[in-house]
Amino acid sequence: MKKNKAFLELEGQPLVERSLNVLHAVFAEVLISSNNPELYDKYDVPIIQDESLNRGPLEGLYQGLKAATYDEVFFVACDMPFLEANLIRLLAKWAPEYDIVVPRLQSGTHPLHAFYNRRCLPAIKRSIETGRLKVGDLCQTCSVKYVEETELQAFGDLSRVFCNVNTPNEWSAIVKG
């Protein structure tokens, strides 16, 4: 995108603000994972930085789990403009029982719209140490609840709820509605 996706504006509001509004409505604690904390100063939430750079979202997940007050933590990418609070609440009901609770649609799983338990910390550390940096790979070593598309259909157009922005063309399509 050649631009920080968190600050793309939709309906006059940066994506980070859209996400924070939903997350604050659901959770008592909200953290931001970023290696540029100065960009988020005005949001009055703790900013968690990576201890080691170039490890991608898995490092952010690891540091976020270590920093969080709670055992079950919801992680979401900054480029998902249509978060649904009640869908997140539904996923939360399984969070105490599983290491990971992740939506699985026909289009694939969504490990950056999922709950992770602190019990994952050793598995994440091993993955980082061995260079396996894909967040989705954790599902092979942790207990996972896949929440299937059929369980999520009450939340409307799931392709919209789970859409994220990776290219200018995708962003253009979102803005046009």
Side-chain angles (χ1 to χ4, degrees), residues 26-27 72 74 85-98 101 115 145 147 151-152 155:
V26 177
F27 301 107
E72 298 99 21
F74 180 72
N86 288 327
L87 189 149
I88 296 167
R89 288 183 184 103
L90 174 72
L91 298 176
K93 80 177 191 178
W94 291 290
E97 300 172 47
Y98 294 90
V101 178
F115 276 90
K145 165 63 176 168
V147 183
E151 299 173 85
L152 302 172
F155 299 100

Side-chain angles (χ1 to χ4, degrees), residues 36-147:
N36 302 106
E38 67 282 355
L39 298 176
Y40 302 91
D41 283 343
K42 76 178 196 172
Y43 297 111
D44 195 34
V45 297
I47 311 300
I48 309 306
Q49 292 182 256
D50 294 351
E51 283 183 11
S52 298
L53 299 178
N54 302 317
R55 292 181 175 170
L58 192 62
E59 176 72 15
L61 178 64
Y62 185 67
Q63 298 306 325
L65 276 173
K66 285 181 16 180
T69 304
Y70 300 91
D71 287 338
E72 298 99 21
V73 181
F74 180 72
F75 284 84
V76 66
C78 71
D79 63 351
M80 298 184 79
F82 305 111
L83 296 181
E84 172 58 50
N86 288 327
L87 189 149
I88 296 167
R89 288 183 184 103
L90 174 72
L91 298 176
K93 80 177 191 178
W94 291 290
E97 300 172 47
Y98 294 90
D99 295 339
I100 303 170
V101 178
V102 61
R104 181 165 57 186
L105 310 180
Q106 288 179 343
S107 60
T109 59
H110 291 273
L112 293 179
H113 186 291
F115 276 90
Y116 293 84
N117 193 294
R118 275 186 207 276
R119 292 184 301 259
C120 291
L121 283 169
I124 296 170
K125 185 175 182 178
R126 278 191 304 277
S127 290
I128 289 171
E129 289 171 349
T130 60
R132 296 185 68 210
L133 301 179
K134 293 182 93 174
V135 175
D137 288 349
L138 285 176
C139 294
Q140 298 169 7
T141 59
C142 297
S143 70
V144 180
K145 165 63 176 168
Y146 290 102
V147 183

Side-chain angles (χ1 to χ4, degrees), residues 7-56:
F7 296 100
L8 293 173
E9 288 195 12
L10 184 61
E11 299 171 354
Q13 188 176 36
L15 293 185
V16 64
E17 289 180 20
R18 292 174 66 93
S19 294
L20 287 172
N21 288 339
V22 172
L23 297 171
H24 280 300
V26 177
F27 301 107
E29 177 181 58
V30 177
L31 309 170
I32 293 176
S33 173
S34 175
N35 291 319
N36 302 106
E38 67 282 355
L39 298 176
Y40 302 91
D41 283 343
K42 76 178 196 172
Y43 297 111
D44 195 34
V45 297
I47 311 300
I48 309 306
Q49 292 182 256
D50 294 351
E51 283 183 11
S52 298
L53 299 178
N54 302 317
R55 292 181 175 170

